Amino acid sequence: MELRQLRYFVTVADELNFGRAAERLHIAGPSLSQQIKALERDLKVRLFDRDRRSVTLTASGAALLPHARALVDQADELRRRAAGLLTSEPVRIGYVNWCPTDWAERAAGVAQMRVDTWVMPSHTQAARVADGNLDLAICWVQTTDLTSLSLDAHLIGVDRLYALSVGVDTSPVDAKDTLVLLDADEATWSSWNRYAEQFAADTGARVVRVDDGGVTGQAFFEHIRRLRRPVLNSPKGQDTQEPGGLVRRPVVHPTPLWTWSLVWRHAEGSPAVRAVIDEFTRDVGDLGVDDEAVWLPAADPHRPTGSRT
């Protein structure tokens, strides 16, 4: 029996729904189900009655729930006290575009956290961690960045990139038949330009160079209308609603993934920072990067060894 299994049990009991509990815990549904079954085997009791429509606590599960909840709460309190986190300085964290929607809730159990208001490009955020202006950042990095800046990284999120095109056809488009935009402004688009150049080199997609910031926003939509070809969307515009006349199309053969890393200094010694790292990376999983149908740059730190180029 492990503490994390008790935490899983408490979360499922709170939600009475394995799907919602898995989302809260940031793990895959099948993995959560397996861990609950393992806990039931260790305890030699059935904790939940399950069918396709509902999840309910058994009498044994209801009897054990208060004790499991107390143990989880005590473990969290012990972790805070052991690290001396109740009076520590806030952990400073920055991001670029994507971040966990519940990060304040997750960090609250282990440390004070201050989200930096400067939303900067990935290469800038990584450099700010390296020079000590941030403790942590969620950004896109490559192995060369980690080496040169003396940083460590853990996969924390993934965007599955799609293409935008003119018309009504929403069918998948091969990667080789897409266009990728590179912007002349390296101070803003350094990370995207590196990603897009490698994607084009590996898949045969065609590069189009622009100098108007048209990798995202209204200028990006105008480029799509002008080019009349499917254009790979950057993660900056991942959640932007496309205007009328443009449609999203899945990219296949392969599907490009953009990874989001939690990065920190290699020699980081702060117990508070380490506690936040542990909380944010616990049970994240591979998030689909092991799928043979996807593409990652060769220098992506989360790219499986021996995967396709």
Side-chain angles (χ1 to χ4, degrees):
M1 180 177 62
E2 300 177 11
L3 178 62
R4 63 176 179 141
Q5 293 174 330
L6 293 179
R7 193 183 300 275
Y8 295 167
F9 165 48
V10 170
T11 304
V12 175
D14 287 344
E15 296 290 344
L16 291 180
N17 182 289
F18 273 77
R20 290 196 299 269
E23 289 180 6
R24 273 183 57 185
L25 293 163
H26 301 277
I27 63 173
S31 177
L32 175 59
S33 182
Q34 290 170 8
Q35 290 297 324
I36 293 296
K37 289 178 181 177
L39 179 61
E40 289 176 326
R41 286 196 300 270
D42 286 344
L43 296 175
K44 296 181 173 56
V45 296
R46 193 173 74 255
L47 300 172
F48 297 100
D49 285 326
R50 295 168 264 189
D51 58 35
R52 292 184 178 180
R53 295 184 179 181
S54 65
V55 176
T56 57
L57 279 163
T58 64
S60 297
L64 291 174
L65 178 59
H67 303 286
R69 196 186 301 278
L71 285 171
V72 170
D73 290 343
Q74 289 169 12
D76 288 342
E77 177 64 17
L78 177 62
R79 181 162 50 181
R80 287 194 295 267
R81 290 186 179 278
L85 301 181
L86 295 178
T87 59
S88 67
E89 289 295 316
V91 174
R92 301 160 300 169
I93 185 167
Y95 69 104
V96 178
N97 185 58
W98 178 87
C99 62
T101 57
D102 64 343
W103 60 355
E105 174 187 336
R106 293 168 65 186
V110 295
Q112 300 178 63
M113 189 175 71
R114 185 175 70 215
V115 179
D116 192 80
T117 56
W118 287 14
V119 180
M120 309 290 283
S122 283
H123 61 284
T124 302
Q125 297 294 49
R128 293 178 71 205
V129 173
D131 64 24
N133 288 320
L134 292 174
D135 298 306
L136 300 166
I138 297 173
C139 56
W140 180 85
V141 290
Q142 296 193 292
T143 53
T144 49
D145 303 316
L146 300 178
T147 300
S148 64
L149 296 173
S150 296
L151 298 176
D152 289 337
H154 194 290
L155 181 67
I156 193 173
V158 165
D159 280 334
R160 185 175 292 260
L161 302 187
Y162 55 86
L164 285 179
S165 66
V166 176
V168 296
D169 183 5
T170 59
S171 64
V173 57
D174 283 356
K176 65 180 177 61
D177 295 326
T178 63
L179 305 179
V180 288
L181 303 188
L182 272 65
D183 197 277
D185 181 6
E186 283 290 329
T188 302
W189 296 107
S190 172
S191 297
W192 171 252
N193 285 352
R194 282 191 288 164
Y195 181 96
E197 285 178 330
Q198 292 173 61
F199 176 75
D202 286 351
T203 65
R206 183 162 70 87
V207 167
V208 177
R209 299 185 183 277
V210 299
D211 58 6
D212 58 358
V215 174
T216 190
Q218 188 58 42
F220 177 61
F221 300 142
E222 291 304 321
H223 285 307
I224 298 169
R225 295 187 181 99
R226 174 177 60 83
L227 294 165
R228 311 294 295 185
R229 292 271 302 279
V231 182
L232 190 67
N233 194 46
S234 80
K236 189 70 174 177
Q238 186 76 358
D239 298 320
T240 302
Q241 180 61 47
E242 63 274 9
L246 300 183
V247 293
R248 298 187 183 192
R249 298 180 64 180
V251 178
V252 295
H253 306 137
T255 297
L257 297 187
W258 177 279
T259 57
W260 293 109
S261 297
L262 182 69
V263 301
W264 62 92
R265 289 177 291 278
H266 181 68
E268 180 58 65
S270 165
V273 174
R274 288 288 177 179
V276 173
I277 293 168
D278 290 344
E279 182 64 29
F280 277 30
T281 59
R282 177 164 40 85
D283 300 318
V284 168
D286 64 52
L287 300 180
V289 299
D290 283 334
D291 190 333
E292 293 183 357
V294 306
W295 177 88
L296 294 170
D300 191 292
H302 314 299
R303 186 173 183 268
T305 304
S307 63
R308 67 188 300 167
T309 57

